[in-house]
Amino acid sequence: QVQLVESGGGLVQAGGSLRLSCLASGRAFTTYAMGWFRQATGKEREFVSAITRSGSSTYYVDSVKGRFTISRDNAKNTMYLQMNSLKPEDSAIYYCALTNTMRYEDNWYAKVDTYNYWGQGTQVTVSS
């Protein structure tokens, strides 16, 4: 069992910044990748960013490239998402996700089904 807890969400004006954190805890396991997804009201959950075990590979949805930065601290079992230049369309519940299984599908890191552990989400609201 793995538990994921997100924090750092809140209300911010357009152009502002937030830093999300995701703390993983539980029994020992191999983490192949962790990622961030978001879900706005009335919309389906969508991929935002992901990072591999070593941190050497990162992935971003086009709409956040240049504004968001994903990172992880394996010693602290924590993943971060630094969000700069926030826009109203970034408003959503942001979910942390983790996978400890191998996946070989095209764009595997961006697929919901890749991840077998999820946090409860943290609300991000960006006002115009």
Side-chain angles (χ1 to χ4, degrees):
Q1 289 286 343
V2 177
Q3 293 79 48
L4 303 176
V5 179
E6 303 96 335
S7 62
L11 175 64
V12 65
Q13 289 188 320
S17 298
L18 286 172
R19 188 193 192 199
L20 305 183
S21 298
C22 174
L23 175 64
S25 61
R27 66 190 67 180
F29 60 91
T30 299
T31 300
Y32 291 114
M34 296 182 71
W36 291 97
F37 289 73
R38 65 188 181 188
Q39 187 166 20
T41 302
K43 304 294 184 180
E44 66 182 11
R45 193 167 299 189
E46 67 174 358
F47 168 76
V48 178
S49 186
I51 187 167
T52 55
R53 182 181 181 181
S54 67
S56 60
S57 296
T58 58
Y59 309 91
Y60 299 92
V61 66
D62 287 345
S63 61
V64 309
K65 288 182 178 178
R67 300 189 297 120
F68 291 10
T69 302
I70 192 170
S71 62
R72 65 188 297 173
D73 185 338
N74 289 342
K76 296 181 178 180
N77 295 319
T78 302
M79 176 179 65
Y80 306 95
L81 184 67
Q82 178 66 47
M83 305 186 295
N84 298 326
S85 302
L86 283 163
K87 304 175 180 179
E89 51 262 45
D90 294 319
S91 297
I93 299 175
Y94 282 70
Y95 296 92
C96 171
L98 179 152
T99 181
N100 60 5
T101 59
M102 286 287 191
R103 303 293 175 93
Y104 304 99
E105 301 174 1
D106 186 36
N107 297 320
W108 59 270
Y109 51 84
K111 296 181 177 180
V112 170
D113 290 347
T114 291
Y115 301 89
N116 50 342
Y117 295 97
W118 294 85
Q120 294 299 307
T122 185
Q123 178 71 53
V124 172
T125 303
V126 184
S127 61
S128 60

